[in-house]
Amino acid sequence: MIYFDHNATTPIDERVVEAMLPYLRGLYGNPSSLYRLGRIARSAIDTAREQVAALVDAPASQILFTSGGTEADALALACGRGRRVWMSAIEHPAVFENVLRQAGLYREINNLGVTSAGLFAPETLDELKPDAGDFISLMLANNETGVIQDVAGLVERAESFGAIVHTDAVQALGKMPVSFRRLGVQLMSLSSHKIYGPKGCGALVWHENVRLQPLQFGGDQEQGLRAGTENVAAIVGFGKAAELARLELEQRQARLLTLRSRLEQQLKTIPGLVIFAEQAKRLPNTVQFGIPGVNGEMLLMQLDQKNIAVSSGSACASGSEQISPVLAAMGVEAQLAKSAIRVSLGKDNSETEIDQFIDALKALLVKSGDNSL
Ligand SMILES: Cc1ncc(COP(=O)(O)O)c(C=O)c1O
């Protein structure tokens, strides 16, 4: 099978599995227990915290483990309750659904628009003039287009207004350098399964000057901010995946860029094909394109029959006929947006797979001459 959907999830790295296994077998202690078995689990969590902290250049004490990126976003957004919230029009549903479905908890909700290249321009804040204490959410890299936002530029301006900034760095992590310190945000969301770690694990990185609002209550785990016995094996796996991502980042980035250039060069030989946000700074693994007159969902299913996995937008939107809100926010015409296919490459993909994908795509498009797409 050719797997080209790494922004949806990544296959777990074998080295990560090896690191996790002891905690699924003999080392089953509860990290809150005082005897040796408990202390071993506690120490494994501490190590994982250091590993994740090292990947994002943050103090380990400011990493809070969660059940994934969605919970990290929810915890971050809880800090915006009672405040005026500004969120970009291209946020993941884990951000925008969380805010919109609990609209009553926020003083006011505002949208931050993006350009046709999918970029939010930080200078627009000067006109919008957020109040002190307002809450802004802008993702670091978009899951569909791969466009990388100028979050540091936003923070610089937001600081002058006294606003709090959250960034969802779930897609950026492991694909580009991510420094919590240099970005200057107060809150940052991470997820393990996008970096070859296990599913159901993530983290919120937070600055000491924000007061986190727990979403669940019970035990004193995670400094009393996230009650519930820790998922030790998954946290260990996330830590290992973070360590590998840090050590291999440069090599992975270079490899992905080589693969993506090959893919884009060949895609561009297809008449009419448009690469969305082509000119913007994008993640090295992501290409989203549209082909006029083609139905993206149908094309996805036909590629699936050839054992090739791609996405027609964000995984959450797949299966519905709605057009991608991200492409809509960029002003992409509805018909072209419906043809969108996202290819997101991974560290283990090869040149041969790119060539096979292009051959399969071209063959299907020729067939579509007789309206099969
Ligand atoms: C940008 C972004 N944020 C949040 C999430 C949710 O992360 P998780 O699946 O770990 O809950 C995703 C997953 O697709 C994502 O792409």
Side-chain angles (χ1 to χ4, degrees):
M1 159 179 207
I2 298 180
Y3 186 73
F4 277 177
D5 202 16
H6 293 80
N7 287 7
T9 196
T10 53
I12 193 162
D13 192 302
E14 203 45 51
R15 295 166 292 181
V16 170
V17 176
E18 285 304 316
M20 291 171 70
L21 279 177
Y23 298 91
L24 291 167
R25 291 187 174 133
L27 302 178
Y28 50 78
N30 185 322
S32 299
S33 300
L34 296 179
Y35 43 82
R36 193 166 161 271
L37 203 57
R39 293 199 308 273
I40 291 173
R42 165 69 45 219
S43 154
I45 291 179
D46 290 345
T47 303
R49 209 183 300 280
E50 296 284 348
Q51 289 165 321
V52 173
L55 177 61
V56 298
D57 183 25
S61 58
Q62 289 168 221
I63 306 284
L64 187 155
F65 286 116
T66 65
S67 63
T70 302
E71 189 191 338
D73 282 339
L75 259 170
L77 291 163
C79 297
R81 290 181 184 172
R83 300 173 189 267
R84 186 154 68 148
V85 170
W86 304 79
M87 61 175 171
S88 86
I90 54 157
E91 292 305 305
H92 188 271
V95 169
F96 74 75
E97 287 289 348
N98 197 293
V99 172
L100 297 180
R101 285 172 189 260
Q102 305 184 86
L105 300 176
Y106 301 93
R107 184 154 65 81
E108 193 184 301
I109 301 167
N110 295 285
N111 228 14
L112 298 173
V114 294
T115 64
S116 57
L119 272 170
F120 170 71
E123 51 282 12
T124 51
L125 266 203
D126 297 345
E127 290 154 38
L128 299 170
K129 295 192 177 30
D131 290 334
D134 278 6
F135 187 97
I136 305 175
S137 194
L138 176 67
M139 71 200 322
L140 187 50
N142 186 262
N143 41 300
E144 291 187 39
T145 58
V147 169
I148 299 167
Q149 301 293 332
D150 179 9
V151 172
L154 166 76
V155 169
E156 215 178 286
R157 284 189 151 79
E159 261 176 2
S160 63
F161 294 102
I164 299 168
V165 180
H166 162 242
T167 193
D168 177 329
V170 164
Q171 289 295 341
L173 194 70
K175 299 173 190 143
M176 60 180 265
V178 175
S179 165
F180 181 73
R181 268 181 258 259
R182 259 183 281 133
L183 287 173
V185 292
Q186 275 86 9
L187 297 152
M188 184 163 85
S189 311
L190 311 174
S191 176
S192 153
H193 74 104
K194 311 286 185 182
I195 65 161
Y196 307 93
K199 294 170 181 58
C201 190
L204 179 68
V205 192
W206 91 102
H207 197 277
E208 303 149 319
N209 68 7
V210 290
R211 268 195 61 171
L212 289 186
Q213 309 289 331
L215 298 174
Q216 59 198 46
F217 302 91
D220 208 26
Q221 292 89 356
E222 296 298 288
Q223 303 181 43
L225 295 167
R226 204 269 180 182
T229 303
E230 299 89 337
N231 186 350
V232 181
I235 290 172
V236 166
F238 184 18
K240 183 68 186 176
E243 182 187 65
L244 295 170
R246 181 173 59 82
L247 297 174
E248 297 173 4
L249 184 62
E250 272 183 43
Q251 175 196 329
R252 288 186 195 178
Q253 272 183 299
R255 170 101 189 110
L256 289 168
L257 268 179
T258 309
L259 289 175
R260 196 186 68 180
S261 311
R262 187 182 186 97
L263 173 62
E264 291 193 344
Q265 262 172 21
Q266 299 191 52
L267 282 174
K268 284 181 187 173
T269 64
I270 295 172
L273 184 142
V274 179
I275 295 177
F276 298 121
E278 187 183 359
Q279 302 311 327
K281 226 166 109 186
R282 285 175 293 141
L283 292 174
N285 77 318
T286 308
V287 187
Q288 193 181 33
F289 59 89
I291 309 171
V294 165
N295 178 327
E297 292 276 324
M298 205 110 86
L299 182 53
L300 177 153
M301 295 316 295
Q302 298 202 351
L303 285 165
D304 181 40
Q305 281 168 13
K306 294 182 177 250
N307 245 344
I308 299 173
V310 295
S311 162
S312 62
S314 74
C316 314
S318 291
S320 66
E321 257 295 274
Q322 286 172 334
I323 71 158
S324 140
V326 174
L327 294 179
M330 288 162 59
V332 174
E333 190 257 320
Q335 236 16 63
L336 185 61
K338 275 189 186 160
S339 75
I341 290 287
R342 177 189 71 185
V343 171
S344 48
L345 305 168
K347 66 183 178 67
D348 298 318
N349 284 136
S350 67
E351 275 87 355
T352 314
E353 287 177 315
I354 302 272
D355 297 348
Q356 285 171 347
F357 166 71
I358 292 287
D359 287 348
L361 179 63
K362 285 187 171 168
L364 287 173
L365 291 172
V366 168
K367 251 179 82 188
S368 80
D370 43 80
N371 281 339
S372 52
L373 282 176

